Amino acid sequence: MIERCLGARRARQIHRAMRHFKLTVLCLVMTIVVLRGTIGAGKFGTPEQDFVEIRDHFYPRKRAEPHRVLEEVETTSSSSSELNNYATFDLNKLLVDEEDDSEKPDPNKPYSLGPKISDWDEQRSKWLEQNPNFPNFIGPNKPRVLLVTGSSPKPCENPVGDHYLLKSIKNKIDYCRLHGIEIFYNMALLDAEMAGFWAKLPLIRKLLLSHPEVEFLWWMDSDAMFTDMAFELPWERYKDYNFVMHGWNEMVYDQKNWIGLNTGSFLLRNCQWSLDILDAWAPMGPKGKIRTEAGKILTRELKDRPVFEADDQSAMVYILATQRDKWGNKVYLESAYYLHGYWGILVDKYEEMIENYHPGLGDHRWPLVTHFVGCKPCGKFGDYPVERCLKQMDRAFNFGDNQVLQIYGFTHKSLGSRRVKRTRNDTNNPLEVKDELGLIHPAFKAIKVSSS
């Protein structure tokens, strides 16, 4: 009938379209069945529920996934940033001390730095004969010297203290390099009984015995800096002495003044006499009751000494003042130059020194050492305003550093500046530049070539 109405050709087209429609509907039904089985529509919900489930299956997950990943990245990044931040890290996690399992000293026995040695001069002399390649003198009137300094094994108790310790050791390395001096930096407490002022004594004894090739050990506190890089110590002056400290005979022997000498910078010869005076020096040092009671004696016996526990400087004044006949003839109290120079009377005069004098003098005109006594740059509290101490330590460092930098044609823009400026232009004949202070190639560094 359709063929009669529409014609044979048109009828075939309609039949073909109907078959395609049936096939499309069948495919749609099959698709829905498959989806219901895979995404949970097999729960026999309504078509509306099916639509909701299909929508939730695709769209929310696609939207939520990037958000979840972003949150994870942000959380991980934040956590990593916190772990990598030195400013917020709690150093106490690293500074947990192990239990002290060392043997406790017997309070009924007098303190000793070590086994008694009575023949050190003979032992050392024999060693030097057997080891000629390690002479105790590296030139005429030029002894082999070991400069010893150090600091606590823990970080400083303030944020900038370690930076100033770094400046201080850099300063000492420069002087030692220029003057052919070996250097030893200690961060170990060798004897827990001798903490604080007294920690240097066990270390000094150990180094003297371990380095027989060293003629003089030069102790210097960490808060002292070299401010005359050109000054060479007058070693010939000390040929008959074993112990050299900055001080004054009348203040020590006559007045018994507790600041008549300073033990922040001193020279000690490697010999039996030095071991003996270390043994005599040490008994006031053990912490606790011994040091407290010794402090009372020192305060009572020494002029103007405040009340506090025994310190190494007061103890040495007391020993020399009360036993001069035993020790005095081998002790040289140096006041002709500043083996120790109190910073309070020096730092404000640096510009005047630069204008009127020159390096190499070592005395009040151009001090060898500027010692920041009382500033305590590694502690929580000092005896002077922090700003003044740190500012003047910077100036002292730059004052000494300028003498090193001038060798290479630079200087600090000012004593208070970290920045440097050129003092001369480079040339194509660098070896013709004069070393005005004679610091690069001093005579004692020259190798003696045998004529044979």
Side-chain angles (χ1 to χ4, degrees), residues 91-92 94-98 150-158 161-162 165 185-189 378-379:
L91 278 176
N92 291 321
L94 299 180
L95 303 179
V96 178
D97 285 333
E98 305 89 44
S151 58
S152 168
K154 291 184 178 181
C156 289
E157 296 177 313
N158 68 71
D162 290 298
L165 285 180
Y185 193 93
N186 181 61
M187 294 182 68
L189 181 60
C378 199

Side-chain angles (χ1 to χ4, degrees), residues 102-109 111 191 193 286:
S102 58
E103 184 179 349
K104 299 297 180 183
D106 186 347
N108 298 317
K109 291 183 179 180
Y111 176 81
D191 189 337
E193 291 297 299

